[in-house]
Coordinates of all heavy atoms in Angstrom, one line a residue:
S397 N 1.0 10.8 4.3 CA 1.8 10.8 3.1 C 2.2 12.2 2.7 O 3.3 12.5 2.2 CB 1.1 10.1 2.0 OG 1.0 8.7 2.3
A398 N 1.2 13.1 2.9 CA 1.4 14.5 2.5 C 2.2 15.3 3.6 O 3.2 15.9 3.3 CB 0.1 15.2 2.3
L399 N 1.7 15.2 4.8 CA 2.4 15.9 5.9 C 3.7 15.4 6.3 O 4.6 16.2 6.7 CB 1.5 15.9 7.2 CG 0.2 16.7 7.1 CD1 -0.7 16.4 8.4 CD2 0.4 18.1 6.9
G400 N 3.9 14.1 6.3 CA 5.1 13.5 6.8 C 6.2 13.2 5.7 O 7.4 13.0 6.1
I401 N 5.8 13.2 4.4 CA 6.8 12.9 3.4 C 6.8 14.0 2.3 O 7.9 14.6 2.0 CB 6.5 11.6 2.7 CG1 6.5 10.5 3.7 CG2 7.5 11.3 1.6 CD1 6.1 9.1 3.2
C402 N 5.7 14.3 1.7 CA 5.7 15.2 0.5 C 6.1 16.7 0.9 O 7.0 17.3 0.3 CB 4.3 15.3 -0.1 SG 3.8 13.7 -0.9
F403 N 5.4 17.2 1.9 CA 5.7 18.6 2.3 C 7.1 18.8 2.8 O 7.8 19.8 2.5 CB 4.7 19.1 3.3 CG 3.4 19.6 2.6 CD1 2.2 19.0 2.7 CD2 3.4 20.8 1.8 CE1 1.1 19.4 2.1 CE2 2.3 21.3 1.2 CZ 1.1 20.6 1.3
P404 N 7.6 17.9 3.7 CA 9.0 18.1 4.2 C 10.0 18.1 3.0 O 11.0 18.9 3.0 CB 9.2 16.9 5.1 CG 7.9 16.6 5.7 CD 6.9 16.9 4.5
A405 N 9.8 17.1 2.1 CA 10.7 17.1 0.9 C 10.7 18.3 0.1 O 11.7 18.9 -0.3 CB 10.4 15.9 0.1
L406 N 9.5 18.8 -0.1 CA 9.3 20.1 -0.9 C 9.9 21.3 -0.2 O 10.5 22.1 -0.8 CB 7.8 20.3 -1.1 CG 7.4 21.4 -2.1 CD1 7.9 21.1 -3.5 CD2 5.9 21.5 -2.2
M407 N 9.7 21.3 1.1 CA 10.3 22.4 1.9 C 11.8 22.4 1.9 O 12.4 23.5 1.7 CB 9.7 22.4 3.3 CG 8.3 22.7 3.5 SD 7.6 22.3 5.1 CE 8.6 23.4 6.1
E408 N 12.4 21.3 2.1 CA 13.9 21.2 2.1 C 14.4 21.6 0.7 O 15.4 22.4 0.6 CB 14.3 19.8 2.4 CG 15.9 19.7 2.5 CD 16.4 18.3 2.8 OE1 15.9 17.4 2.1 OE2 17.3 18.2 3.7
A409 N 13.8 21.2 -0.4 CA 14.3 21.6 -1.7 C 14.2 23.1 -1.9 O 15.1 23.7 -2.5 CB 13.5 20.8 -2.8
C410 N 13.1 23.7 -1.4 CA 12.9 25.1 -1.6 C 13.8 26.0 -0.8 O 14.4 26.9 -1.3 CB 11.4 25.5 -1.3 SG 10.2 24.9 -2.5
V411 N 14.0 25.6 0.5 CA 14.9 26.4 1.3 C 16.4 26.3 0.9 O 17.2 27.1 1.2 CB 14.8 26.1 2.8 CG1 13.4 26.5 3.3 CG2 15.1 24.7 3.1
S412 N 16.7 25.2 0.1 CA 18.0 25.0 -0.4 C 18.2 25.5 -1.8 O 19.2 25.3 -2.4 CB 18.3 23.5 -0.3 OG 18.2 22.9 1.0
F413 N 17.1 26.0 -2.3 CA 17.1 26.5 -3.7 C 18.2 27.5 -4.0 O 18.1 28.6 -3.4 CB 15.8 27.0 -4.2 CG 15.7 27.4 -5.6 CD1 15.8 26.5 -6.6 CD2 15.6 28.8 -5.9 CE1 15.7 26.9 -7.9 CE2 15.6 29.2 -7.2 CZ 15.6 28.3 -8.3
P414 N 19.2 27.2 -4.8 CA 20.3 28.2 -5.0 C 20.2 28.9 -6.3 O 19.5 28.5 -7.2 CB 21.5 27.2 -5.0 CG 21.0 26.0 -5.7 CD 19.5 25.9 -5.4
R415 N 20.9 30.0 -6.4 CA 21.1 30.6 -7.7 C 22.1 29.8 -8.6 O 22.0 29.9 -9.8 CB 21.5 32.1 -7.5 CG 20.4 32.9 -6.8 CD 20.8 34.3 -6.5 NE 19.7 35.0 -5.8 CZ 19.8 36.1 -5.2 NH1 20.9 36.7 -5.2 NH2 18.8 36.7 -4.7
R416 N 23.0 29.2 -8.0 CA 24.0 28.3 -8.7 C 24.0 27.0 -8.0 O 24.5 26.9 -6.8 CB 25.4 28.9 -8.7 CG 25.5 30.2 -9.5 CD 26.9 30.7 -9.5 NE 27.1 32.0 -10.2 CZ 28.2 32.6 -10.3 NH1 29.3 32.2 -9.7 NH2 28.3 33.8 -11.0
A417 N 23.4 26.0 -8.6 CA 23.3 24.7 -8.0 C 24.6 23.9 -8.0 O 25.2 23.7 -9.0 CB 22.2 23.9 -8.7
S418 N 25.1 23.5 -6.8 CA 26.3 22.7 -6.7 C 25.9 21.2 -6.9 O 24.7 20.9 -7.0 CB 26.9 22.9 -5.4 OG 26.1 22.4 -4.3
A419 N 26.9 20.4 -7.1 CA 26.7 18.9 -7.3 C 25.9 18.4 -6.1 O 25.0 17.5 -6.2 CB 28.0 18.2 -7.5
A420 N 26.4 18.8 -4.8 CA 25.7 18.3 -3.6 C 24.3 18.7 -3.6 O 23.4 17.9 -3.2 CB 26.5 18.8 -2.4
R421 N 24.0 19.9 -4.0 CA 22.6 20.3 -3.9 C 21.7 19.7 -5.0 O 20.5 19.4 -4.8 CB 22.5 21.9 -4.1 CG 22.9 22.6 -2.8 CD 22.7 24.1 -2.9 NE 23.0 24.7 -1.6 CZ 22.9 26.0 -1.4 NH1 22.5 26.8 -2.3 NH2 23.2 26.5 -0.2
R422 N 22.3 19.4 -6.1 CA 21.6 18.6 -7.2 C 21.2 17.2 -6.7 O 20.1 16.7 -6.9 CB 22.4 18.5 -8.5 CG 22.4 19.8 -9.3 CD 22.9 19.5 -10.7 NE 24.4 19.3 -10.7 CZ 25.3 20.2 -10.8 NH1 25.0 21.5 -11.0 NH2 26.6 19.9 -10.8
L423 N 22.1 16.6 -5.9 CA 21.8 15.3 -5.3 C 20.7 15.5 -4.3 O 19.8 14.6 -4.1 CB 23.0 14.7 -4.6 CG 24.1 14.1 -5.6 CD1 25.3 13.7 -4.8 CD2 23.5 13.0 -6.4
L424 N 20.7 16.6 -3.5 CA 19.7 16.8 -2.5 C 18.3 17.0 -3.2 O 17.3 16.5 -2.8 CB 20.0 18.0 -1.7 CG 19.0 18.4 -0.6 CD1 19.8 18.9 0.7 CD2 18.1 19.5 -1.0
F425 N 18.3 17.7 -4.3 CA 17.1 17.9 -5.0 C 16.5 16.6 -5.6 O 15.3 16.3 -5.6 CB 17.2 18.9 -6.2 CG 17.6 20.3 -5.7 CD1 18.4 21.1 -6.5 CD2 17.1 20.8 -4.5 CE1 18.7 22.4 -6.1 CE2 17.5 22.1 -4.1 CZ 18.3 22.9 -4.9
L426 N 17.5 15.7 -6.1 CA 17.1 14.4 -6.6 C 16.5 13.6 -5.5 O 15.4 12.9 -5.7 CB 18.3 13.7 -7.2 CG 18.0 12.3 -7.8 CD1 17.0 12.4 -9.0 CD2 19.4 11.7 -8.3
K427 N 17.1 13.6 -4.3 CA 16.6 12.9 -3.2 C 15.2 13.4 -2.7 O 14.3 12.6 -2.5 CB 17.6 13.0 -2.0 CG 17.2 12.2 -0.8 CD 16.5 13.0 0.3 CE 17.4 14.1 0.8 NZ 16.7 14.9 1.9
D428 N 15.0 14.7 -2.7 CA 13.8 15.3 -2.3 C 12.7 15.0 -3.3 O 11.5 14.7 -3.0 CB 13.9 16.8 -2.1 CG 14.6 17.1 -0.8 OD1 14.6 16.3 0.1 OD2 15.2 18.2 -0.7
G429 N 13.1 15.0 -4.6 CA 12.1 14.6 -5.6 C 11.6 13.2 -5.5 O 10.4 12.9 -5.7
L430 N 12.6 12.3 -5.2 CA 12.2 10.9 -5.0 C 11.3 10.7 -3.8 O 10.3 10.0 -3.8 CB 13.5 10.0 -4.8 CG 13.3 8.5 -4.5 CD1 12.6 7.9 -5.7 CD2 14.6 7.8 -4.3
L431 N 11.6 11.4 -2.7 CA 10.7 11.4 -1.5 C 9.3 11.9 -1.8 O 8.3 11.3 -1.4 CB 11.3 12.2 -0.4 CG 12.5 11.6 0.4 CD1 13.0 12.6 1.4 CD2 12.2 10.3 1.0
F432 N 9.2 12.9 -2.6 CA 7.9 13.5 -3.0 C 7.1 12.5 -3.8 O 5.9 12.3 -3.5 CB 8.1 14.8 -3.8 CG 6.8 15.5 -4.1 CD1 6.3 16.4 -3.2 CD2 6.1 15.3 -5.2 CE1 5.2 17.1 -3.4 CE2 5.0 16.0 -5.5 CZ 4.5 16.9 -4.6
V433 N 7.7 11.8 -4.7 CA 7.0 10.8 -5.5 C 6.6 9.6 -4.6 O 5.4 9.1 -4.7 CB 8.0 10.3 -6.6 CG1 7.3 9.1 -7.3 CG2 8.2 11.4 -7.6
I434 N 7.4 9.2 -3.7 CA 7.0 8.1 -2.8 C 5.8 8.5 -2.0 O 4.9 7.7 -1.8 CB 8.2 7.7 -1.8 CG1 9.3 7.1 -2.6 CG2 7.7 6.8 -0.7 CD1 10.6 6.8 -1.8
G435 N 5.9 9.7 -1.4 CA 4.7 10.2 -0.7 C 3.4 10.3 -1.5 O 2.4 9.9 -1.0
L436 N 3.6 10.8 -2.7 CA 2.4 10.9 -3.6 C 1.8 9.6 -3.9 O 0.6 9.4 -3.9 CB 2.8 11.7 -4.9 CG 1.7 12.2 -5.8 CD1 0.8 13.1 -5.0 CD2 2.2 12.8 -7.0
V437 N 2.7 8.6 -4.3 CA 2.2 7.2 -4.6 C 1.5 6.6 -3.4 O 0.4 6.0 -3.5 CB 3.3 6.3 -5.1 CG1 2.9 4.9 -5.2 CG2 3.8 6.8 -6.4
G438 N 2.1 6.8 -2.2 CA 1.5 6.3 -1.0 C 0.1 6.9 -0.7 O -0.8 6.2 -0.3
L439 N 0.0 8.2 -0.9 CA -1.2 8.9 -0.7 C -2.3 8.4 -1.6 O -3.4 8.0 -1.1 CB -1.0 10.4 -0.9 CG -2.2 11.4 -0.6 CD1 -1.6 12.8 -0.3 CD2 -3.2 11.5 -1.8
V440 N -2.0 8.3 -2.9 CA -3.1 7.9 -3.9 C -3.5 6.4 -3.7 O -4.7 6.1 -3.5 CB -2.6 8.1 -5.3 CG1 -3.6 7.6 -6.3 CG2 -2.4 9.6 -5.6
A441 N -2.5 5.5 -3.6 CA -2.7 4.1 -3.5 C -3.4 3.8 -2.2 O -4.3 3.0 -2.1 CB -1.5 3.3 -3.7
G442 N -2.8 4.3 -1.1 CA -3.3 4.0 0.2 C -4.7 4.5 0.5 O -5.6 3.8 1.0
T443 N -5.0 5.8 0.0 CA -6.3 6.3 0.2 C -7.4 5.6 -0.6 O -8.5 5.3 -0.1 CB -6.3 7.8 -0.2 OG1 -5.3 8.5 0.6 CG2 -7.7 8.4 0.0
Y444 N -7.0 5.2 -1.8 CA -8.0 4.5 -2.7 C -8.3 3.1 -2.1 O -9.5 2.7 -2.0 CB -7.4 4.3 -4.1 CG -8.2 3.4 -5.0 CD1 -9.4 3.8 -5.6 CD2 -7.8 2.1 -5.2 CE1 -10.1 3.0 -6.4 CE2 -8.6 1.2 -6.0 CZ -9.7 1.7 -6.6 OH -10.5 0.8 -7.4
T445 N -7.3 2.4 -1.6 CA -7.5 1.1 -1.1 C -8.3 1.2 0.2 O -9.2 0.3 0.4 CB -6.1 0.4 -0.8 OG1 -5.3 0.4 -2.0 CG2 -6.3 -1.0 -0.3
A446 N -8.0 2.1 1.1 CA -8.7 2.2 2.3 C -10.2 2.6 2.1 O -11.1 2.0 2.7 CB -8.0 3.3 3.2
L447 N -10.4 3.6 1.2 CA -11.8 4.0 0.9 C -12.6 2.8 0.3 O -13.8 2.6 0.7 CB -11.8 5.2 0.0 CG -11.5 6.5 0.6 CD1 -11.4 7.6 -0.5 CD2 -12.4 6.9 1.7
L448 N -12.0 2.1 -0.6 CA -12.6 0.9 -1.2 C -13.0 -0.1 -0.1 O -14.0 -0.7 -0.1 CB -11.7 0.3 -2.3 CG -12.3 -0.8 -3.1 CD1 -13.5 -0.3 -3.9 CD2 -11.2 -1.4 -4.0
S449 N -12.0 -0.4 0.8 CA -12.3 -1.3 1.9 C -13.4 -0.9 2.8 O -14.2 -1.7 3.3 CB -11.0 -1.6 2.7 OG -10.0 -2.1 1.8
I450 N -13.5 0.4 3.1 CA -14.5 0.9 4.0 C -15.9 0.7 3.3 O -16.8 0.3 3.9 CB -14.3 2.4 4.3 CG1 -13.1 2.6 5.2 CG2 -15.5 3.1 4.9 CD1 -12.7 4.0 5.5
V451 N -16.0 1.1 2.0 CA -17.2 0.8 1.3 C -17.6 -0.6 1.3 O -18.8 -1.0 1.6 CB -17.1 1.3 -0.2 CG1 -18.3 1.0 -1.0 CG2 -16.9 2.9 -0.2
R452 N -16.7 -1.5 1.0 CA -17.0 -2.9 1.0 C -17.4 -3.4 2.4 O -18.2 -4.4 2.5 CB -15.8 -3.7 0.5 CG -15.5 -3.6 -1.0 CD -14.2 -4.3 -1.4 NE -14.1 -4.2 -2.8 CZ -13.0 -4.6 -3.5 NH1 -11.9 -5.1 -2.8 NH2 -12.9 -4.5 -4.8

Side-chain angles (χ1 to χ4, degrees):
S397 294
L399 291 174
I401 302 178
C402 292
F403 277 110
L406 191 61
M407 289 169 63
E408 184 183 47
C410 287
V411 296
S412 303
F413 180 70
R415 294 175 180 168
R416 293 182 181 178
S418 64
R421 285 187 174 179
R422 282 194 290 270
L423 287 175
L424 182 142
F425 296 149
L426 180 62
K427 183 263 295 182
D428 287 334
L430 179 61
L431 287 177
F432 187 86
V433 171
I434 292 173
L436 191 61
V437 171
L439 187 153
V440 174
T443 301
Y444 171 78
T445 305
L447 286 175
L448 186 63
S449 299
I450 288 174
V451 171
R452 287 176 175 172

